Amino acid sequence: MKWLIETNINEMKKILTKEAWYVEDLLRLTMEAFKERNLELAKKVKNQYWDIYEEYLNILNFSQTIVGTSNPSGYELRFIFGSVLVAKVLLDISSRLKDIAEDIENLVKEPELNQSIMLPEMFSFAQKMLRKALRIYVDQNTEGAYGICNQDEVMDKMFEKFQEDITTIIQNNPRLIKRGLILLDISKVLEEISDFAVQIIEITFYILTGDYYTCHHDELQQFSVDNFKSEN
């Protein structure tokens, strides 16, 4: 029975890796669509979301099959449960990228705003964080995981700076309100993707250790109710 569980887990990892490839490619495509203000690429992003949705359903169905036929426990059960959570995180990312694609379609109707040159850097940063987090999950090796919390803190500061700059521009030129709000929405999605990357490493820690870890400021720490109470 153990060999069957191991075989099914390896197969599940392959399915989720396929979904991860789709999402990474979708992020790359979204970044290109934004840089080029390309409506065809934006439309492609929206269409490819459904491919990722199908992969999520495949993982969900496969996990139910494994649990129903193999009676997994311990690490194997945590891996199955955690992998479903990672698959849902990837689906959420693709949904938010679809939102950016819709924003891009609206951007071409608005006057240019120089401040948008900051966003490609945020795109690249989010892309690197997501790729690193997925590698940690696939390898089931937490080396480098602590650095992602620090990177998430950096992304938060980039978003705050961008938000401040856009707010100032809007205040000085109300004609750019719609444009500014669209750019703010895109920057918020990119900040959320960095949070999703953090969720993936938190889930991976749970799979490997059975303990709950969370990013606290710029450090990854084991979750403690006492620590949570002290913060509140």
Side-chain angles (χ1 to χ4, degrees), residues 78 142 145-146 149 198 201-231:
R78 293 198 304 273
T142 58
Y146 290 88
C149 284
V198 168
I201 63 168
E202 290 173 346
I203 293 168
T204 303
F205 263 88
Y206 168 73
I207 292 172
L208 291 171
T209 67
D211 295 322
Y212 295 95
Y213 283 78
T214 184
C215 272
H216 183 72
H217 299 303
D218 61 348
E219 295 182 0
L220 188 66
Q221 301 177 357
Q222 186 171 354
F223 180 80
S224 167
V225 174
D226 291 337
N227 289 344
F228 178 78
K229 288 179 179 178
S230 66
E231 287 292 321

Side-chain angles (χ1 to χ4, degrees), residues 77-88:
L77 184 59
R78 293 198 304 273
F79 180 86
I80 295 166
F81 175 68
S83 295
V84 170
L85 292 179
V86 171
K88 181 58 169 60

